[in-house]
Every structure is written in C-alpha cells, then in structure tokens.
Amino acid sequence: MNMKYLNRLAGFISVVLLWCSCSEGQDRPDALPDLQTMAGQMVMVGFNGFEISDTSHVTRDITQYHAGGVILFDYHVPGSSPNRNIDSPPQLRKLIADLQGLSEIPLFIAVDQEGGRVARLKPARGFPEHRSAEYLGGLNNPDSTRHYASDMAGTLSDLGFNVNFAPVVDINLNPENPVIGKIGRSFSDSPEVVVQQASIFLEEFNSEGVLGVLKHFPGHGSAWNDSHLGMADVTDTWRESELEPYAGLTDSNLDFAVMTAHVFNSRLDPDWPATLSEEIQTGILRERFGYDGVLFSDDMQMEAIRSFYGLRESIARAVQAGVDVVVFANNSVYDPDVVPKVIDIIVSLVEEGTLTEERIAESYNRIMNQKRELGLIE
C-alpha cells in the first residue's frame, strides 16, 4: 500500500476516533467541540497594541471566538509606526502571558524571528542580535549555527513564544529575489547546506519547546517579484530541487510545521497559487512526502491573495488544499473583525457542503496534537 493511501487511511481513522469519543460523552478537549470552536482554532490573528484590554478585538477573538493563535510584530505597517506589539523583553513577556491567560485552549504565540533583516526582536529594544541565514550558510560551520540557533531558541522560549516562522528553507536560486536572496533570508543555493543548517535550528527549537516552521512551500527562492505586493509567478524559474529540504526534513525525526508560499507555478498547478492548491499542499506535501503536521498559510492579507481572490473563496480553497491554520496578520491591511468573519465563513462553508465537518476536524486534530507535543496541553 503506497503512502498516499496510508495517509488518507490514517486521517480517516483519526477523525472516526474523534467522533466516537465525542459520541461517548467524554469531556472536552478530548471530545470534538462544536464547529465554531474547531474553526476558531484554525485562525491566527495579529493586532495592534503593547498590551491587551477588555475593548481590544484580540480579547474578543480569543475569549468569544476561540482563535487558536496570535502573531506579534515590532512594526505596524498600516500605520507606518514602530509601535505595534514588541517594545522590550519585560513588556513582551507580560503581553504573551496575558494573552495566554485569556484562552481556555493554550494559544500558538508566533513571531517571525529569522535573524538578520527579518527579526522582530531587535537589539535596539533589548533583545540579542541574531545572524541572518545567509551569514550562517556562508560560514557553513555547524558550531556557529548551533550557537546562534540555541540563543534564538532560548530567547523565544523565555519570552513565551511557542511558534517561530523560521527557518527559511527556500533555495537561493535568484540572489536578486527582492524578498529572499537580496535580503539574506536563504542559507544557500545548495539544498544540502539548507537542510543541514535548518536541521540545527529545528533541533534547538525542539529542545526549547518552540515549533519551527519551514517556509515557503513549495519554494519562493527563484521568484523575481514580491508576493506581498502581487502574485509571484515562478513557473519559468522554479526548480525541482526546491522540494528537497521538505523531503529531507520530513524523513528526519524533527518536529516542525510548514508554511505555504503565495506563488503561482503552472508546472505544479495550472489554476491556483500554491496556498490555494490541493495539488501542491495535499498532493505533494502530504501524499508524496508523507507530511502530516500542521500547515500554516502565509499571511492571507498579502496582495498575492487579497487582490486576486475574495475572502470566502480564498478560505475555502486554502482549507480544501490542506491548510490547517489560516494566518491573518493584520499588518498589510487592518481588519479588527477578520476573526469573526473567517469563522463565520468556515462554518457556512460546512453548512452548505463546500467543506465537510470531517475536514475541519482533521485540522483541529492536527492543531491539538501539535499543542500536546509542545506541552501546552495534556
């Protein structure tokens, strides 16, 4: 029996077992909760503020709508302001603790701390300096990489983060790529070096209870344009080697999640960008490589998605593609009501038959299993 059918069988069995436990009346969270709660766990949201209050939409998002995760930033792009969520280590530690205190189900608390140019925790605000992937890959010294990876993992864990959207495993096929190669986010143009470097980061993250997230599947390294600003078509530049880090790391015993890429690649799917493609996210990542961990979308408010697809269509396609957590960072555009909108859409998609409740339960199960692996719940 091939991996494709084994994965499908395992997913079916897990959902059946969850439904059985629910019908036997077991206490939550082991039994399936209501559909709205499961949908809430599938949403990660960003907000503006150094602290939370009763009137903050993130308080409502967590307590009323059961949002499963929060992503924090140091810069508020919609307001062109350096005042967002991260001001100092003591302030940030308290903010994360307060956010966790709101939720019945412990939250994924995420950040983009790659090192180098993409570092939300900056030395100017009292955080350690973390080197870029390009710098570490250029050295290609495992001891140096482990030193910086260990420091990063310890810093994140001490502050209360349990998800880091790193390491980047994009292959540096285009050094002039404006959002990868040109700003030092790729370890190397060699898949072997990328896997070696990323493995060290994942090992250190695992040891500190931080979930590392590989990005951007199935590869953003060859692009010539920025998916923050519009659709990046990599059809003519993408190479099969860009899949090697995912294949290699899935075969390891390391714990990690994956983030999708907002790129269009007609060689892999002639109709849909990767985040919305079942052919790519399920057909390649889950069935071909056997990956069954949590799959995060890249920010669904980026222009590559928002300018081409409506909210309802993009959510339907992403979830059907295999995405478990849809990320709405509120840092391209700001919508304080995006969480209730998204949850209402997911629920209505199930009610009309576009999505099945079993599909939602599948993602909920992956999310809860990952939170157990991180020690957030028993």
Side-chain angles (χ1 to χ4, degrees), residues 20 37 52 68 75 110 117 157 159 184 207 209 232 244 247 249 270 286-287 333 355:
C20 289
T37 299
I52 56 173
Y75 192 88
R117 291 278 292 276
S157 178
L159 292 166
S207 70
E244 291 182 26
L249 291 165
R286 296 208 186 279
E287 295 179 350
V333 295
L355 296 172

Side-chain angles (χ1 to χ4, degrees), residues 6 18 96 138 153 170-171 200-201 218 232 257 265 279 289 298 343 364:
L6 285 173
L18 280 169
I96 291 174
D170 292 321
I171 309 300
I200 295 171
F201 272 89
N265 186 341
E279 293 292 325
F289 294 155
D298 206 343
I343 292 171
Y364 173 79

Side-chain angles (χ1 to χ4, degrees), residues 102-232:
L102 292 174
S103 187
E104 294 179 3
I105 303 173
L107 300 164
F108 285 141
I109 305 288
V111 69
D112 293 292
Q113 185 67 10
E114 299 173 14
R117 291 278 292 276
V118 181
R120 313 308 184 197
L121 310 176
K122 292 183 169 58
R125 292 186 171 178
F127 301 98
E129 181 178 7
H130 295 135
R131 296 288 190 173
S132 71
E134 180 182 65
Y135 174 85
L136 294 174
L139 286 180
N140 199 20
N141 182 310
D143 290 339
S144 295
T145 301
R146 193 169 300 280
H147 168 79
Y148 285 106
S150 175
D151 185 72
M152 181 184 290
T155 297
L156 293 169
S157 178
D158 175 67
L159 292 166
F161 287 108
N162 50 46
V163 175
N164 188 18
F165 289 130
V168 171
V169 294
D170 292 321
I171 309 300
N172 193 22
L173 295 180
N174 176 14
E176 296 302 310
N177 181 326
V179 290
I180 304 294
K182 202 165 186 178
I183 58 174
R185 297 175 70 194
S186 173
F187 288 112
S188 176
D189 59 2
S190 162
E192 292 78 14
V193 172
V194 170
V195 169
Q196 180 191 51
Q197 295 287 315
S199 295
I200 295 171
F201 272 89
L202 292 176
E203 288 168 3
E204 296 303 319
F205 290 164
N206 287 179
S207 70
E208 292 288 349
V210 175
L211 180 66
V213 182
L214 309 183
K215 59 187 187 185
H216 308 79
F217 186 82
H220 205 308
S222 69
W224 279 99
N225 48 353
D226 182 351
S227 55
H228 292 83
L229 305 177
M231 188 62 69

Side-chain angles (χ1 to χ4, degrees), residues 28 33-42 65-66 105 343 364:
R28 296 169 184 173
D34 59 86
L35 179 59
Q36 186 183 70
T37 299
M38 289 195 292
Q41 287 297 298
M42 295 176 67
Y65 290 99
H66 310 288
I105 303 173
I343 292 171
Y364 173 79

Side-chain angles (χ1 to χ4, degrees), residues 1-13 287:
M1 188 178 295
N2 66 30
M3 182 63 71
K4 173 180 178 180
Y5 295 104
L6 285 173
N7 287 336
R8 286 180 174 173
L9 180 61
F12 174 77
I13 290 171
E287 295 179 350

Side-chain angles (χ1 to χ4, degrees), residues 263-274:
V263 296
F264 181 77
N265 186 341
S266 65
R267 292 161 59 190
L268 300 180
D269 189 322
D271 300 314
W272 300 98

Side-chain angles (χ1 to χ4, degrees), residues 42 314-323 326 346 355 359-360 363:
M42 295 176 67
S314 63
I315 292 169
R317 291 296 315 184
V319 174
Q320 192 60 49
V323 170
V326 283
I346 293 175
L355 296 172
R359 172 65 193 89
I360 305 307
S363 282

